[in-house]
């Protein structure tokens, strides 16, 4: 449904419009900082044009939203931030806060377990096994293949990897 087909603003629509205007103005400023506006062939010309269009359209949408009455009050959280989204934001926030303290392995395992259990609603054993398999896959890809250093935390990961490496190297000779 296009904006002109209804005669009211939905919950959060006006706030989102103001956020888009703010973001567009910020991006316009960033685009201007690339090279100013020296000529049509300057590095900043296309970003300036794109962000100027964003500012104009976001302003038009805001003005149109301000002219319309609001839809039924009290539905903002139901439509914009339903409980499942709020809970997942909380779980991600907890993950970010405890990552450096506990380390990647236990934090990611807890995050995966809680997320899968809440979103999929499967059994505890199945959720634990699925979480563990996903964690092993993520760990192998990022830590062993791409050599990404992950927060170690409470598990002595380097010592475990060194011991495993020594076992494989000793067994190979």
């Amino acid at each position: 449904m296009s904006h002109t087909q209804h005669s009211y603003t939905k919950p959060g629509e006006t706030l989102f419009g103001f956020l888009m205007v703010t973001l567009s103005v910020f991006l316009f400023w960033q685009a201007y900082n690339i090279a100013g506006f020296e000529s049509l062939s300057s590095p900043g010309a296309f970003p300036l044009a794109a962000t100027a269009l964003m500012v104009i359209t976001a302003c038009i949408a805001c003005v149109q939203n301000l002219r319309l009455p609001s839809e039924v009050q009290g539905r903002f959280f139901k439509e914009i931030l339903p409980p499942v989204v709020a809970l997942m934001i909380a779980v991600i926030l907890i993950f970010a806060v405890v990552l450096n303290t506990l380390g990647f392995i236990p934090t990611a395992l807890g995050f995966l377990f809680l997320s899968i259990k809440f979103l999929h609603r499967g059994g505890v054993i199945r959720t634990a096994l699925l979480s563990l398999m996903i964690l092993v896959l993520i760990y192998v890809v990022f830590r062993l293949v791409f050599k990404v250093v992950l927060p170690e935390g409470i598990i002595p990961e380097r010592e475990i990897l060194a011991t495993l490496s020594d076992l494989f190297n000793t067994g190979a000779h």
Side-chain angles (χ1 to χ4, degrees):
M1 174 185 289
S2 76
H3 183 70
T4 57
Q5 289 178 332
H6 59 79
S7 58
Y8 54 85
T9 59
K10 294 189 178 259
E13 196 170 3
T14 303
L15 174 64
F16 181 76
F18 281 119
L19 291 174
M20 290 307 299
V21 168
T22 304
L23 175 67
S24 299
V25 169
F26 173 75
L27 291 175
F28 181 81
W29 179 253
Q30 293 300 312
Y32 180 78
N33 285 335
I34 292 173
F37 185 69
E38 298 166 3
S39 70
L40 288 176
S41 61
S42 72
F46 183 75
L48 270 173
T51 55
L53 188 60
M54 287 175 62
V55 170
I56 292 167
T57 56
C59 287
I60 290 170
C62 271
V63 168
Q64 288 175 346
N65 283 340
L66 288 173
R67 290 182 180 164
L68 296 174
S70 294
E71 191 181 41
V72 179
Q73 299 298 320
R75 294 179 49 193
F76 179 80
F77 284 105
K78 181 182 176 191
E79 291 194 27
I80 304 302
L81 191 65
V84 67
V85 174
L87 183 68
M88 288 310 300
I89 290 172
V91 171
I92 291 169
L93 210 69
I94 292 168
F95 176 84
V97 168
V98 301
L99 181 62
N100 281 330
T101 306
L102 293 180
F104 177 77
I105 294 173
T107 306
L109 185 61
F111 172 78
L112 288 167
F113 181 83
L114 290 174
S115 300
I116 294 170
K117 181 69 178 142
F118 179 71
L119 295 172
H120 187 264
R121 294 190 169 94
V124 173
I125 294 173
R126 180 183 169 135
T127 301
L129 289 174
L130 187 58
S131 300
L132 193 58
M133 288 179 359
I134 293 169
L135 179 63
V136 167
L137 179 67
I138 291 170
Y139 188 84
V140 167
V141 169
F142 286 98
R143 179 68 175 102
L144 302 179
V145 174
F146 292 125
K147 307 287 186 206
V148 174
V149 178
L150 303 168
E152 192 169 294
I154 60 174
I155 296 178
E157 182 185 324
R158 281 178 274 175
E159 288 83 9
I160 294 170
L161 287 175
T163 303
L164 288 173
S165 179
D166 289 344
L167 285 174
F168 285 114
N169 289 337
T170 306
H173 292 287

